């Protein structure tokens, strides 16, 4: 599946975050996947991330006009009167226009190239969704959230239109053909190309007040004319998009998950339960699970899950013929073989669980013919409640069952040899098998490779070459193996053996090319000058000066780089290679005919896309997106380096407002926004990540918004928590956290850009946890803090959290000492807590903020709690986001910008005593916003799919 390199966290994506069809985005499957272990992906917390194919559309005034629109004084509150407390907490509020104008700018379209690279579509989008839409009712079942009216995942974003452009011979775009024929106001989802690029498929929903029209229907558009029509002639056929939705089986037919026609009304909750709710462990099984959310609670929930998740598969042709195949079931994925003769079908079945999400439910994997006949059952995995919490632990049995991308219909999969328990010492730990879709009688699976670490993926090329990846979190080891799938006498060999934390040694990932079957394989490259066959490694190029992406021509036989054929401009620009574009024909690609798609940006120029063609490396610009926030076009950005007192090298990105000069303007109020990370070595922790030339992506809740209020922003200062050798990082969490913060604060003060009395700290999720700990253990550094969607009491997550896989009972002191809840009596500086009422992220229950606020209030702390109804771990609704920004701006204005006293612990203590003696706590406030919405998190099936992956890149 194609992936995006970056994310503009200001936007909410379609319901599965990334499209399910591999041709929807111009990216080949990544060889390495970075995921924080067992932590939902939180877009709203990443201050500088962005979708490379998304940028906000706005009119661009002159630079002078933009600069003039920003308040010249940090004390100016625009039209906001923060001294009037009479309406605080009464209604939703909006921040000053210098902030809201940036957030509310409409986005530009998303881009998608056709399979043949001859056309590009622009998927048109809207700005932030309204509150009423996000607050729609939803069912919370088995770890997922379902919109019952639409029969989809809840809180879906959507596209508003599709424009088609032909790519002309010179690389420029032709005029736009607007897709037409669907109802006005239609909400578009699940856009997908047919394999031959002649048609587009997508879903439509219209009037959400009507039960029928609010459900999704499947549409087909002719790419040449742009005219769209319904796939199904019957108006009663609707899409079931709770799990998978539809997939192109070939150029003229699709396999669609539909709502069963025989389905009646939803089951009704019985007034009188049939029995008590009972859980038992009389077998004394050891079952340790993290704090999963939205789990099934009783038999009624089980019935409701079946009702919404059950689909009837329908094979539909473009000529209008349809055929129901297979029985109704909870189908979770459909994957046609490259030759379109078979379909790999995944489904869930009972018995369900009340303690784990649906990704661990019993799972059946079957092989069907293209017309829906069962050929054989590959596996039927039992309920997996007992996966150990140790990193790299996995489910027992067959897993990661997929089609070989280089073969017509050959399966491969992995089976664990350690019972799925990472603590078991055994060799090999994983075995990779391959087998034809229909093996001969008595033909057993072939062993492709045996691994001593945990399996991390395969990149296929042909019978002579495949790359196999394995990794081990505890040691941060990662290996790449070269195997010859078609030659049993050729022994596998290690190509790369390195630390996943050592970004400087990363050789890059092989470029992938699209085959005529629609799969992606390693691209073989030839040169006119010799007979050798090479691959191209696409790397980030991490260096002490920042990332300098590259393409290397690489000899897989010798394991050596032949030459560097492309490199980013390191002086001013940050360029990356997005995809290979010269892969329309089968066979080897010639270097002198190479064509790639690149992105290019600078500190002040937003991302644009370019075609680069060999042999002259001719460049053609594809897009010309306007600057998303011209009022901050001339902001100042610098990647800075400094040292922690224990010698660890640290980095951060320092942003300063447009036109600011420290020598004449003096120090500014400063906001430090960060997120700690764990490392096994000081050297790895000190390595530079990112580029000083990257464009400053400003998201809907980004700290960079306060550049418009003339703050200095220290974004992402590295806060490494290091545990070398046998030491666990968290055993010295507080000590290292404080040392990192002290070094960062000392650096901005020494540079003269930050007023030492006006430095605030903030973060989201684990960054909120960091913020509370810093106010408790380093009150001398910060005047106030902002903590969003955090967890503060680790005894409420007793079976591990973040990258801690020891239990509370194994590391009691660590859990207690790391919890700011246990140090609530030490927090004397003002702290603003914000949390989504419907947070579904494991570990950050809304209760965490509620209880932490009560603990703070019980000690007279100056604190404020804002609960956003309907919001999830990240915030989505326009009203909610604007209110979060207002609350943050008010907090910074009152307790940072206007902070004129030392605000030290003695002063705070005196204030506490005064309030206690009077029996009041007037400085505190609990605010509950009247409504809200939420952003879509990673689904439990996606989450469980990567359950065994460590946080580091695979």
């Amino acid at each position: 599946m194609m992936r995006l390199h970056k994310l503009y966290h200001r936007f909410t994506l379609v319901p599965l975050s990334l499209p399910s069809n591999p041709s929807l985005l111009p990216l080949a499957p990544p060889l390495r996947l970075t995921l924080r272990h067992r932590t939902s992906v939180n877009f709203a917390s990443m201050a500088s991330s962005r979708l490379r194919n998304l940028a906000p559309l706005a009119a661009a005034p002159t630079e002078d006009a933009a600069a003039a629109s920003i308040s010249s004084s940090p004390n100016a509150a625009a039209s906001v009167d923060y001294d009037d407390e009479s309406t605080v907490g009464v209604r939703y509020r909006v921040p000053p226009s210098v902030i809201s104008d940036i957030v509310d700018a409409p986005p530009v379209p998303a881009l998608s190239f056709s399979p043949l690279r001859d056309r590009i579509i622009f998927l048109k989008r809207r700005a932030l969704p309204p509150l009423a839409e996000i607050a729609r009712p939803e069912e919370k079942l088995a770890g997922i959230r379902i919109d019952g009216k639409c029969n989809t995942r809840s809180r879906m974003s959507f596209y508003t239109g599709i424009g088609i452009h032909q790519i002309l011979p010179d690389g420029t775009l032709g005029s736009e053909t607007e897709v037409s024929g669907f109802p006005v106001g239609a909400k578009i989802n699940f856009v997908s190309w047919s394999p031959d690029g002649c048609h587009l498929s997508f879903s439509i929903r219209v009037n959400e007040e009507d039960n029928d029209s609010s459900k999704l229907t499947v549409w087909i558009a002719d790419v040449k004319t742009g005219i769209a029509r319904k796939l199904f002639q019957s108006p009663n056929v609707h899409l079931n998009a709770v799990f998978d939705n539809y997939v192109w089986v070939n150029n003229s037919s699709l396999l669609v998950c539909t709502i069963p026609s025989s389905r009646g009304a939803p089951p009704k909750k019985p007034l009188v339960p049939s029995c008590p709710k009972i859980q038992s462990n009389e077998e004394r099984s050891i079952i340790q699970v993290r704090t999963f959310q939205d789990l099934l609670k009783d038999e009624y929930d089980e019935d409701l899950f079946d009702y919404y998740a059950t689909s009837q598969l329908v094979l539909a042709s473009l000529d209008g013929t349809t055929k129901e195949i297979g029985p109704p079931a909870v189908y979770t994925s459909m994957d046609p073989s490259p030759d379109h003769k078979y379909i790999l079908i995944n489904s869930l079945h009972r018995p369900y669980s009340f303690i784990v999400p649906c990704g661990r439910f019993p799972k059946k994997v079957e092989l069907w013919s293209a017309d829906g006949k069962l050929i054989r059952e590959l596996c039927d995995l039992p309920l997996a409640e007992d996966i150990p919490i140790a990193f790299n632990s996995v489910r027992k049995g067959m897993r990661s069952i997929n089609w070989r991308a280089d073969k017509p219909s050959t399966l491969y999969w992995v089976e664990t040899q350690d019972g799925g328990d990472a603590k078991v010492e055994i060799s090999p730990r994983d075995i990779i098998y391959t087998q034809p879709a229909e093996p001969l009688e008595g033909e057993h699976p072939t062993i492709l490779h045996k691994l001593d670490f945990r399996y991390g993926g395969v990149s296929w090329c042909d019978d002579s070459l495949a790359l196999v990846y394995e990794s081990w979190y505890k040691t941060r080891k990662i290996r790449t193996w070269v195997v010859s799938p078609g030659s049993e006498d050729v022994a596998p060999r290690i190509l790369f053996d390195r630390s996943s934390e050592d970004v400087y040694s990363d050789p890059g990932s092989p470029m992938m090319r699209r085959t005529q079957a629609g799969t992606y394989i390693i691209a073989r490259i030839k040169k006119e000058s010799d007979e050798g066959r090479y691959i191209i490694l696409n790397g980030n190029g991490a260096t002490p000066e920042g990332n300098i992406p590259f393409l290397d021509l690489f000899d897989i036989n010798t394991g050596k780089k032949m030459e560097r054929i492309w490199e980013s401009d390191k002086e001013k620009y940050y360029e990356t290679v997005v995809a290979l574009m010269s892969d329309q024909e089968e066979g080897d690609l010639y270097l002198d005919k190479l064509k790639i798609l690149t992105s290019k940006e600078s500190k002040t120029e937003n991302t644009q896309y370019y075609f680069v063609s060999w042999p002259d490396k001719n460049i053609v610009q594809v897009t010309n997106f306007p600057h998303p926030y011209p009022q901050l076009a001339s902001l100042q950005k610098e990647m800075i380096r400094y040292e922690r007192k224990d010698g660890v090298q640290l980095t951060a990105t320092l942003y300063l407002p447009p036109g600011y000069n420290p020598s004449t303007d003096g120090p500014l109020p400063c906001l430090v926004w960060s997120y700690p990370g764990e490392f096994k070595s000081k050297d790895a922790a000190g390595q530079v990540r990112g580029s000083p030339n990257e464009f400053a992506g400003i998201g809907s809740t980004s700290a960079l918004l306060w550049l418009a209020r003339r703050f200095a922003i220290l974004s992402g200062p590295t806060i490494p928590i290091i545990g070398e050798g046998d030491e666990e990082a968290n055993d010295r969490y507080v000590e290292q956290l404080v040392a990192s913060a002290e070094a960062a604060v000392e650096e901005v003060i020494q540079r003269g850009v930050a007023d030492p009395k006006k430095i605030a700290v903030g973060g989201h999720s684990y960054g909120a946890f960091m913020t509370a700990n810093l106010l408790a253990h380093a009150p001398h550094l910060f005047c106030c803090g902002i903590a969003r969607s955090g967890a503060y009491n680790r005894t409420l997550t007793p079976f591990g959290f973040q990258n801690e896989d020891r239990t509370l009972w194994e590391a009691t002191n660590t859990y207690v000492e790391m919890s700011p809840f246990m140090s609530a009596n030490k927090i004397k500086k003002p702290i603003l807590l914000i949390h989504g009422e419907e947070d579904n992220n494991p570990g950050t229950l809304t209760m965490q903020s509620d209880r932490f606020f009560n603990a703070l209030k019980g000690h007279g702390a100056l604190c404020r709690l804002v609960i956003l109804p309907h919001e999830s771990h990240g915030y989505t609704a326009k009203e909610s986001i604007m209110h979060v920004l207002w609350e943050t701006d008010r907090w910074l204005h009152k307790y940072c910008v206007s902070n004129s006293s030392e605000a030290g612990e003695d002063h705070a203590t005196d204030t506490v005593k005064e309030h206690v003696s009077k029996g009041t706590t007037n400085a505190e406030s609990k605010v509950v916003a009247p409504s809200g919405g939420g952003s879509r998190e990673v689904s439990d099936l996606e989450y469980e799919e990567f359950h065994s992956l460590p946080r580091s890149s695979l």
Side-chain angles (χ1 to χ4, degrees):
M1 183 165 118
M2 295 181 177
R3 292 290 198 263
L4 294 173
H5 285 187
K6 289 185 176 180
L7 289 164
Y8 256 127
H9 72 64
R10 64 177 299 170
F11 302 115
T12 302
L13 302 180
V14 290
L16 291 183
S17 265
L18 298 174
S20 59
N21 185 282
S23 61
L24 183 57
L25 295 167
L27 305 176
L31 299 180
R32 295 191 291 276
L33 177 66
T34 301
L35 280 181
R36 187 164 296 278
H37 186 87
R38 309 186 189 201
T39 303
S40 296
V41 175
N42 167 39
F43 299 131
S45 69
M46 296 182 283
S48 62
S49 56
R50 48 204 177 276
L51 280 173
R52 283 199 175 278
N53 66 330
L54 295 176
L57 179 63
T62 64
E63 184 171 319
D64 290 341
S69 69
I70 301 175
S71 170
S72 60
S73 169
N75 291 301
S79 59
V80 181
D81 182 6
Y82 290 130
D83 292 328
D84 180 9
E85 300 292 327
S86 61
T87 59
V88 172
V90 174
R91 65 181 187 277
Y92 277 94
R93 308 300 292 270
V94 177
S97 59
V98 290
I99 291 178
S100 62
D101 288 350
I102 296 173
V103 175
D104 208 25
V108 300
L111 309 182
S112 171
F113 287 86
S114 72
L116 301 182
R117 308 295 198 246
D118 60 343
R119 286 181 171 84
I120 183 174
I121 60 174
F122 284 68
L123 302 169
K124 301 174 184 181
R125 302 166 46 80
R126 62 171 182 176
L128 297 172
L131 196 67
E133 183 175 307
I134 301 302
R136 288 166 52 88
E138 60 185 357
E139 302 289 347
K140 301 173 184 178
L141 302 167
I144 61 176
R145 296 181 175 184
I146 299 171
D147 184 328
K149 187 168 287 188
C150 296
N151 220 108
T152 66
R153 296 294 180 93
S154 62
R155 311 177 187 215
M156 287 203 310
S157 181
F158 57 86
Y159 301 114
T160 58
I162 305 173
I164 306 172
H165 294 263
Q166 186 171 1
I167 300 175
L168 303 178
D170 63 357
T172 59
L173 302 184
S175 58
E176 181 176 275
T177 299
E178 184 78 17
V179 174
S180 60
F182 50 78
V184 176
K187 299 176 180 180
I188 302 170
N189 289 102
F190 311 122
V191 182
S192 176
W193 291 92
S194 63
D196 60 6
C198 293
H199 294 88
L200 288 171
S201 59
F202 51 92
S203 68
I204 288 289
R205 53 194 163 106
V206 190
N207 181 8
E208 296 183 354
E209 297 304 318
D210 183 284
N211 284 333
D212 289 330
S213 59
S214 65
K215 290 183 172 61
L216 279 65
T217 54
V218 183
W219 288 66
I220 302 294
D222 184 284
V223 170
K224 290 183 179 179
T225 65
I227 298 175
R229 59 179 175 84
K230 284 187 176 182
L231 175 63
F232 295 101
Q233 296 179 355
S234 169
N236 299 318
V237 180
H238 296 103
L239 188 66
N240 185 341
V242 170
F243 289 111
D244 209 346
N245 40 78
Y246 53 79
V247 63
W248 286 89
V249 176
N250 51 48
N251 292 327
S252 60
S253 60
L254 299 91
L255 185 60
V256 185
C257 288
T258 68
I259 298 173
S261 58
S262 60
R263 190 181 80 172
K268 292 185 178 181
K269 189 176 182 68
L271 295 177
V272 179
S274 60
C275 64
K277 298 178 182 178
I278 299 173
Q279 296 187 52
S280 174
N281 191 33
E282 295 180 45
E283 301 83 4
R284 298 189 177 185
S285 302
I286 298 176
I287 298 177
Q288 301 177 349
V289 295
R290 300 222 172 182
T291 49
F292 297 118
Q293 309 247 30
D294 302 335
L295 301 177
L296 299 178
K297 298 181 291 297
D298 49 33
E299 291 183 5
Y300 168 72
D301 276 0
E302 291 181 305
D303 293 341
L304 207 57
F305 176 76
D306 277 335
Y307 177 83
Y308 288 115
T310 298
S311 296
Q312 172 63 61
L313 298 184
V314 175
L315 193 62
S317 298
L318 298 185
D319 62 9
T321 60
T322 62
K323 175 187 176 183
E324 291 188 354
I325 62 174
V330 181
Y331 297 108
T332 58
S333 69
M334 310 166 292
D335 187 11
S337 61
D339 62 3
H340 308 301
K341 292 182 179 180
Y342 305 96
I343 305 173
L344 197 61
I345 300 291
N346 286 257
S347 62
L348 304 178
H349 63 81
R350 298 195 183 210
Y352 298 149
S353 171
F354 298 151
I355 64 172
V356 294
C358 59
R360 298 194 188 183
F361 286 0
K363 176 182 178 180
K364 184 180 293 185
V365 183
E366 297 175 328
L367 187 66
W368 294 6
S369 63
D371 59 358
K373 295 179 180 178
L374 175 65
I375 295 176
R376 63 185 177 117
E377 180 184 288
L378 298 177
C379 66
D380 190 351
L381 304 178
L383 180 64
E385 291 183 332
D386 59 348
I387 298 177
I389 63 172
F391 295 118
N392 290 120
S393 293
V394 295
R395 190 172 192 160
K396 300 173 187 176
M398 297 173 68
R399 69 181 198 279
S400 300
I401 307 172
N402 290 292
W403 296 107
R404 274 185 60 169
D406 62 328
K407 292 288 184 179
S409 52
T410 298
L411 294 163
Y412 73 99
W413 66 90
V414 186
E415 292 187 31
T416 179
Q417 306 301 299
D418 57 13
D421 189 349
K423 292 184 178 181
V424 173
E425 296 294 334
I426 193 172
S427 177
R429 190 173 292 277
D430 272 344
I431 297 180
I432 308 170
Y433 296 93
T434 67
Q435 189 178 51
E438 292 192 79
L440 300 175
E441 185 176 353
E443 182 180 3
H444 296 290
T446 300
I447 294 178
L448 175 70
H449 193 39
K450 297 180 179 180
L451 302 171
D452 284 338
F453 297 161
R454 191 62 79 199
Y455 167 79
V458 180
S459 293
W460 299 97
C461 183
D462 51 34
D463 274 339
S464 66
L465 174 64
L467 298 181
V468 177
Y469 309 95
E470 65 173 342
S471 66
W472 198 245
Y473 177 76
K474 281 292 186 183
T475 59
R476 309 303 199 270
K477 278 287 189 177
I478 180 171
R479 289 175 182 163
T480 302
W481 292 83
V482 178
V483 299
S484 298
S487 303
E488 294 184 6
D489 56 337
V490 178
R493 58 186 172 87
I494 293 178
L495 183 63
F496 304 122
D497 188 354
R498 46 183 292 270
S499 167
S500 59
E501 292 182 340
D502 182 10
V503 294
Y504 292 170
S505 69
D506 186 355
S509 307
M511 291 289 290
M512 309 296 284
R513 59 159 299 163
R514 188 181 187 276
T515 68
Q516 290 184 355
T519 61
Y520 284 83
I521 62 172
I522 299 173
R524 289 279 202 176
I525 306 297
K526 278 192 173 183
K527 297 176 64 177
E528 295 287 353
S529 57
D530 60 57
E531 295 300 318
R533 298 176 74 199
Y534 310 99
I535 67 173
I536 297 176
L537 294 182
N538 181 6
N540 290 327
T543 74
E545 288 71 44
N547 289 356
I548 306 173
F550 63 83
L551 290 181
D552 280 347
L553 196 66
F554 189 83
D555 189 331
I556 201 74
N557 294 317
T558 64
K560 295 182 179 179
K561 177 181 74 173
M562 301 300 295
E563 63 177 298
R564 182 148 292 182
I565 62 174
W566 178 90
E567 187 174 73
S568 172
D569 177 352
K570 58 185 175 183
E571 299 302 323
K572 179 181 178 182
Y573 291 101
Y574 177 69
E575 302 168 283
T576 63
V577 176
V578 180
L580 190 63
M581 303 299 291
S582 53
D583 57 357
Q584 293 90 339
E585 298 180 2
E586 293 290 330
D588 294 342
L589 307 179
Y590 282 88
L591 182 59
D592 62 355
K593 296 181 180 179
L594 199 66
K595 183 179 180 181
I596 60 176
L597 177 72
T598 67
S599 67
K600 183 178 181 179
E601 62 195 85
S602 72
K603 296 177 183 179
T604 57
E605 298 171 77
N606 52 304
T607 304
Q608 307 291 353
Y609 293 91
Y610 299 81
F611 290 135
V612 181
S613 303
W614 271 253
D616 300 325
K617 297 182 183 176
N618 182 51
I619 300 175
V620 176
Q621 185 168 347
V622 180
T623 61
N624 188 25
F625 297 139
H627 198 290
Y629 20 89
Q631 58 270 57
L632 291 178
S634 57
L635 62 80
Q636 304 173 56
K637 175 186 177 183
E638 181 184 0
M639 182 176 285
I640 63 175
R641 302 195 69 180
Y642 49 98
E643 188 175 292
R644 203 164 73 178
K645 63 183 180 181
D646 59 359
V648 176
Q649 294 294 314
L650 304 177
T651 60
T653 305
L654 177 63
Y655 293 90
L656 299 171
Y660 169 73
N661 185 334
S663 62
T664 57
D665 298 339
L668 298 172
C670 178
L671 175 57
V672 178
W673 199 272
S674 192
Y675 195 102
E678 294 81 5
F679 294 87
K680 287 301 293 181
S681 73
K682 291 181 179 179
D683 289 341
Q687 292 183 352
V688 176
R689 292 161 173 81
S691 168
N693 295 325
E694 287 182 275
F695 181 68
I698 302 180
S700 60
T701 57
S702 170
L704 301 188
L705 289 165
W706 277 270
L707 289 169
R709 299 285 274 159
R710 297 199 63 81
F711 268 72
I713 308 295
L714 192 66
S715 178
T718 51
I719 301 184
I721 311 300
I722 305 167
E724 294 187 303
D726 294 332
E727 182 185 33
E728 296 291 342
N730 285 339
D731 290 343
R732 295 195 299 119
Y733 173 85
V734 172
E735 172 191 338
Q736 297 189 66
L737 177 72
V738 172
S740 298
E742 286 177 337
V745 168
E746 181 180 343
E747 180 66 18
V748 292
I749 293 174
Q750 181 271 329
R751 287 172 171 263
V753 299
D755 186 329
K757 297 180 182 179
K758 300 181 180 181
I759 301 178
V761 62
H764 188 102
S765 194
Y766 207 52
F769 176 74
M770 169 207 75
T771 298
N773 265 310
L774 285 174
L775 292 187
H777 302 291
H780 59 290
L781 298 178
F782 305 104
C783 61
C784 65
I786 299 103
R788 299 175 183 166
S789 298
Y792 309 102
N793 183 353
R794 286 307 172 191
T795 67
L796 296 178
T797 55
F799 290 106
F801 59 89
Q802 200 71 5
N803 289 319
E804 177 59 68
D805 62 357
R806 295 171 296 177
T807 70
L808 168 64
W809 299 272
E810 294 172 322
T812 304
N813 290 340
T814 299
Y815 273 68
V816 172
E817 291 170 3
M818 285 184 69
S819 297
F821 179 86
M822 304 301 180
S823 299
N825 60 318
K826 298 179 181 178
I827 296 179
K828 311 301 181 183
K829 296 298 178 67
I831 181 169
L832 172 64
L833 304 174
I834 301 176
H835 215 121
E837 190 173 39
E838 305 297 333
D839 194 326
N840 65 347
N841 184 53
T844 56
L845 293 78
T846 308
M847 174 180 62
Q848 289 271 4
S849 286
D850 276 324
R851 292 189 176 180
F852 187 44
F853 175 74
N854 287 331
L856 293 168
K857 185 170 61 173
H859 290 89
L862 196 163
C863 54
R864 181 176 174 88
L865 172 62
V866 179
I867 299 295
L868 302 169
H870 304 291
E871 288 289 1
S872 185
H873 191 58
Y875 319 136
T876 297
K878 178 177 179 178
E879 292 89 335
S880 298
I881 287 173
M882 291 298 182
H883 189 83
V884 166
L885 299 178
W886 181 86
E887 291 280 358
T888 305
D889 192 66
R890 172 184 175 271
W891 204 254
L892 292 174
H893 177 73
K894 291 192 67 174
Y895 303 113
C896 183
V897 174
S898 300
N899 179 32
S900 58
S901 69
E902 293 294 333
E905 289 192 44
D906 294 339
H907 173 76
T909 302
D910 291 339
T911 303
V912 171
K913 291 179 179 178
E914 179 183 351
H915 286 307
V916 171
S917 66
K918 293 181 179 179
T920 62
T921 51
N922 294 328
E924 68 209 26
S925 173
K926 179 173 180 179
V927 176
V928 178
S931 187
S935 66
R936 185 260 170 198
E937 309 296 340
V938 170
S939 73
D940 287 289
L941 282 187
E942 294 173 279
Y943 171 75
E944 290 299 329
E945 182 70 20
F946 304 113
H947 174 79
S948 65
L949 299 180
R951 175 189 171 197
S952 54
S953 297
L954 295 183

